Amino acid sequence: MKIKLGGYGILKNYVGPPENAREIELPQAKSLKDILQEMGIPDGMVMLISVNDEQKNLDYVPQEGDEIKLVPPVSGG
């Protein structure tokens, strides 16, 4: 199963930007939490997950062709 994974801000360093999302081949179904852990993305670094433009949580199990965008926590001043 193939999915596309892209991120904003610091997450681009792990998965690339959404406009140039990384295509990932998953040999078996697993949750987004498991996928992000395997990619070395630290816990708490993802604030929002969008799958095909719908908000999902870390328990979501991606389906064939899903386009996933990751958003880090936002800070400002």
Side-chain angles (χ1 to χ4, degrees):
M1 165 177 54
K2 290 183 182 179
I3 62 171
K4 288 188 175 182
L5 189 60
Y8 295 96
I10 190 77
L11 295 169
K12 289 189 283 188
N13 296 335
Y14 293 92
V15 295
E19 60 273 5
N20 192 21
R22 177 188 290 185
E23 189 170 86
I24 298 173
E25 177 76 36
L26 299 175
Q28 62 189 33
K30 55 180 79 175
S31 71
L32 285 173
K33 181 177 182 175
D34 292 337
I35 294 167
L36 299 181
Q37 284 178 341
E38 289 175 9
M39 296 184 78
I41 298 174
D43 289 342
M45 188 167 285
V46 177
M47 182 183 85
L48 180 109
I49 301 167
S50 170
V51 178
N52 305 322
D53 297 321
E54 291 184 22
Q55 188 172 344
K56 300 291 183 184
N57 63 34
L58 288 170
D59 294 328
Y60 177 76
V61 177
Q63 306 298 308
E64 176 73 35
D66 277 352
E67 292 190 24
I68 302 165
K69 298 172 187 165
L70 307 174
V71 179
V74 178
S75 64

